[in-house]
Amino acid sequence: MTRRKTAILISGRGSNMGALISAAMQPEYPAEIALVLSNRPDAPGLERAADLGIATAVVDHKEFSGDRQAFERQVDAVLKDHRIEFVALAGFMRILTPFLVGAWSNRMINIHPALLPSFKGLATHERALEEGVKLHGATVHFVSAEMDDGPIIIQGAVPVLDTDTPDTLAARVLEVEHKIYPKALALVAAGKARVAGTRVTGGECDAEPADLVWP
Ligand code: GRF
């Protein structure tokens, strides 16, 4: 089996990164985490990755003084140096230009803490509570030019409880994230989940039937 060389791009703590690295430690997992790259030199996830024996790199966006494309060209060069085939964004807090999105078209995936297309952007858990939705969750999708958009690979759902705060909801969604992201990367790396127009064939829904009806 070919293990596809994958880079994870992070900006922060990297808990999803950790879940992907753990999954990829299984010999039969179809992706190998060959690089963790951060735009922030102080991202705690970098140390965690290095401790786990993964190559790390920093491309500090602040050194490119607002020139997003120059920053992305450097990111792209580092990815190519490491012979990366797939990219998984995991809390990578940069808005991407069409340059990087185009360069990695159908080979770059992202995780978002909401059931897209609802609640794009930030503060998803606060907004889900404000709107009173009864189901919330997380989405892994291919990256397209629009932020938090692109063909959906997997969604995982959790019920929203009357007693939830943004923090308790975030914690339950994060558990789902750690489950669905490794599944999604495996489907993509193995060529099972593929883009077909605006949709993905071979994707999954990750929810217990009991989660789908509430209360
Ligand atoms: C996650 O909630 C992810 O869905 C979002 O950013 C957060 C990153 O968390 N894109 P972590 O760094 O993976 O812990």
Side-chain angles (χ1 to χ4, degrees), residues 49 67 79 112 133 144:
D67 186 344
L79 296 174
H112 181 72
V133 297
S144 68

Side-chain angles (χ1 to χ4, degrees), residues 89 96 101 105-106 108-110 141-146 149-151:
L89 307 180
L96 302 181
V101 174
S105 174
N106 297 346
M108 181 185 277
I109 64 178
N110 179 47
H141 62 96
F142 283 98
V143 174
S144 68
E146 300 272 310
D149 201 61

Side-chain angles (χ1 to χ4, degrees), residues 12-17 90-93 110-113 174 177-178:
R13 65 186 168 182
S15 73
N16 279 288
M17 173 205 79
F92 186 62
M93 302 302 283
N110 179 47
I111 186 153
H112 181 72
L174 195 63
E177 294 186 35
H178 295 165

Side-chain angles (χ1 to χ4, degrees), residues 11-47:
S11 300
R13 65 186 168 182
S15 73
N16 279 288
M17 173 205 79
L20 292 174
I21 292 173
S22 297
M25 282 174 176
Q26 305 302 316
E28 70 279 12
Y29 194 78
E32 169 205 343
I33 307 306
L35 177 70
V36 169
L37 182 151
S38 174
N39 64 307
R40 290 189 176 276
D42 57 352
L46 278 177
E47 207 181 320

Side-chain angles (χ1 to χ4, degrees), residues 6-156:
T6 301
I8 305 174
L9 271 52
I10 62 167
S11 300
R13 65 186 168 182
S15 73
N16 279 288
M17 173 205 79
L20 292 174
I21 292 173
S22 297
M25 282 174 176
Q26 305 302 316
E28 70 279 12
Y29 194 78
E32 169 205 343
I33 307 306
L35 177 70
V36 169
L37 182 151
S38 174
N39 64 307
R40 290 189 176 276
D42 57 352
L46 278 177
E47 207 181 320
R48 198 164 163 194
D51 286 347
L52 292 166
I54 311 284
T56 61
V58 174
V59 181
D60 187 347
H61 65 277
K62 290 192 187 133
E63 287 171 12
F64 295 84
S65 54
D67 186 344
R68 284 185 191 273
Q69 250 209 50
F71 163 73
E72 290 184 355
R73 279 198 301 274
Q74 184 57 29
V75 170
D76 191 50
V78 174
L79 296 174
K80 292 206 167 101
D81 276 355
H82 285 80
R83 304 190 181 287
I84 296 301
E85 297 168 275
F86 290 97
V87 175
L89 307 180
F92 186 62
M93 302 302 283
R94 302 306 297 163
I95 290 172
L96 302 181
T97 78
F99 167 74
L100 202 65
V101 174
W104 291 89
S105 174
N106 297 346
R107 294 185 301 145
M108 181 185 277
I109 64 178
N110 179 47
I111 186 153
H112 181 72
L115 292 172
L116 291 173
S118 293
F119 308 121
K120 296 178 179 184
L122 298 174
T124 54
H125 310 303
E126 284 84 345
R127 289 189 286 141
L129 287 173
E130 258 165 44
E131 293 291 344
V133 297
K134 298 297 181 203
L135 273 181
H136 187 44
T139 303
V140 183
H141 62 96
F142 283 98
V143 174
S144 68
E146 300 272 310
M147 191 184 63
D148 297 330
D149 201 61
I152 291 171
I153 304 160
I154 294 192
Q155 295 190 298

